[in-house]
Amino acid sequence: TFGVMSRDAYGDTTPTSFVVSVNADSPVFTAPLAPVNLITNGDCSGGTFAHTESWGHWATEDVGWKISGTSDNQSGVQLEQIASGYGGVSSSASHMVDLEATPGDVQIFQTISGLAAGQHYTLTFDIGASNPSAAALEVYWNGNLVGSYNPTSSMVQKSIDLPAIPGDNTVSFKEVGSPNDNPGTSLTTVSLVQ
């Protein structure tokens, strides 16, 4: 039995093991199948957060997530990447994103192709907030609201069971807290597994 650490293109690691058996001069490999995270940049560490500030980095694209504002005619929307511990909110992941930025609340989403229609998938994510009274999060699956959360000052893991539909499936995280105070929901460690 061999213990290995598998790593994806974004640096996420998963420990696993495999067994090599030799039967009649031909090796047979068996390994437990580790769940595959179908979310790109779920730990918020990848992508191109090209703009550096004293509190972290920000971007308007190229982070694995589509980024938009939550109100009509909101322009200059940026997603802010912050380090664990920022504003007193700590995570097991080294990076998080703040879903409220200048100029207001932010929504991020990803479309996942190739899911088996009718199959259930588990969406897991960690949320917290440096100012919980002004933060609130809604989670959407294929345009339907599947979760509403009021984050606390500690990171908490949430999970939602989601059935896939035929064709593309889209997950979205939308900040709905106060849009004018800068800190919103901190989000990280997003995964979607079967």
Side-chain angles (χ1 to χ4, degrees), residues 71-155:
S71 58
D72 293 338
N73 301 317
Q74 188 176 342
S75 62
V77 179
Q78 60 192 44
L79 183 62
E80 297 178 346
Q81 179 194 53
I82 53 178
S84 177
Y86 179 79
V89 180
S90 295
S91 168
S92 60
S94 59
H95 294 94
M96 306 179 284
V97 291
D98 181 353
L99 294 178
E100 183 182 337
T102 304
D105 290 346
V106 177
Q107 178 172 338
I108 61 173
F109 57 97
Q110 266 186 47
T111 299
I112 302 102
S113 300
L115 301 184
Q119 181 67 47
H120 285 253
Y121 294 82
T122 302
L123 176 69
T124 306
F125 53 95
D126 294 351
I127 57 171
S130 60
N131 184 6
S133 64
L137 178 70
E138 292 180 343
V139 180
Y140 292 84
W141 179 246
N142 297 319
N144 299 305
L145 180 65
V146 293
S148 294
Y149 303 95
N150 294 309
T152 65
S153 59
S154 299
M155 292 300 277

Side-chain angles (χ1 to χ4, degrees), residues 35-40 42 65 110-113 115 119-125 141 160-164 169-171 173 189-194:
V36 174
N37 186 1
L38 302 170
I39 296 293
T40 300
W65 295 90
Q110 266 186 47
T111 299
I112 302 102
S113 300
L115 301 184
Q119 181 67 47
H120 285 253
Y121 294 82
T122 302
L123 176 69
T124 306
F125 53 95
W141 179 246
I160 306 172
D161 179 64
L162 301 171
N169 289 261
T170 301
V171 62
F173 294 89
T189 322
V190 181
S191 69
L192 181 69
V193 298
Q194 187 172 11

Side-chain angles (χ1 to χ4, degrees), residues 1 16 28 49 81 85 88 145 156 169 186:
T1 301
T16 190
V28 176
F49 286 91
Q81 179 194 53
L145 180 65
V156 177
N169 289 261
S186 296

Side-chain angles (χ1 to χ4, degrees), residues 19-30:
V19 176
V20 177
S21 301
V22 178
N23 297 324
D25 298 326
S26 62
V28 176
F29 293 90
T30 57

